[in-house]
Amino acid sequence: MRTDVLISGGGILGSFISLKLSEVGLESIILEKNKPNLAIDTNIRTITLNSNSVKILDDAGVKTPSAEITTMKVFDGEGSGNISFKADEIGQPFLSKVVLFNDLKNELHKKTSQYFRYEKMIDSYEDNKNIVNSKLN
């Protein structure tokens, strides 16, 4: 098989890279060492995204439920100092958004599933100037 880019790992980052590559016309293949399965566990992990990350995902059509953080209060360990941040003070609707890890992973996977090759890993590779030959196991 031939491809422009070979991506090792089909998590959030591997899927996102593949999605962005497809937007600029580059073909990718995502190698995932595990069997296919959508993340369906208890959704106890979250990711907090800054406004730039939210915009990048929105622009790519990646939509997941989220909770906006509009105020943040930070205290030091001894309680003698603190600082707060408010979205409205900087003219923004939010400071960040929190999404469930599995929701984001699954949404990205839906958009890139055609690029996945499961139970595959790069065993070795050889760099021949402009072409890299990879051996998979």
Side-chain angles (χ1 to χ4, degrees):
M1 77 181 103
R2 297 182 75 88
T3 187
D4 295 318
V5 179
L6 189 60
I7 300 170
S8 180
I12 288 174
L13 189 55
S15 295
F16 178 74
I17 290 169
S18 179
L19 179 63
K20 295 305 283 183
L21 288 169
S22 70
E23 289 178 3
V24 296
L26 292 173
E27 182 181 312
S28 65
I29 293 175
I30 304 168
L31 302 177
E32 174 55 51
K33 68 179 178 178
N34 298 311
K35 294 180 181 183
N37 75 337
L38 289 179
I40 56 172
D41 60 13
T42 58
N43 257 334
I44 59 173
R45 292 176 63 190
T46 60
I47 295 178
T48 303
L49 303 170
N50 66 30
S51 58
N52 290 330
S53 297
V54 170
K55 182 176 180 345
I56 289 168
L57 290 169
D58 284 348
D59 290 349
V62 178
K63 306 286 186 201
T64 60
S66 63
E68 291 182 352
I69 296 175
T70 57
T71 302
M72 186 182 308
K73 295 181 181 180
V74 182
F75 302 91
D76 69 10
E78 297 175 11
S80 60
N82 65 71
I83 189 169
S84 65
F85 304 92
K86 295 181 181 177
D88 60 356
E89 291 177 345
I90 59 170
Q92 297 297 316
F94 60 88
L95 296 172
S96 60
K97 289 188 178 185
V98 178
V99 299
L100 294 172
F101 180 90
N102 288 345
D103 288 352
L104 181 56
K105 181 179 177 188
N106 290 345
E107 185 64 22
L108 284 163
H109 184 272
K110 286 179 200 174
K111 293 190 170 294
T112 58
S113 62
Q114 69 271 26
Y115 306 119
F116 273 76
R117 303 298 181 268
Y118 292 99
E119 299 182 69
K120 300 285 184 195
M121 293 175 40
I122 298 172
D123 186 48
S124 62
Y125 68 92
E126 181 180 303
D127 188 351
N128 295 322
K129 297 188 182 182
N130 294 331
I131 297 176
V132 175
N133 294 312
S134 301
K135 181 178 176 186
L136 309 180
N137 66 10

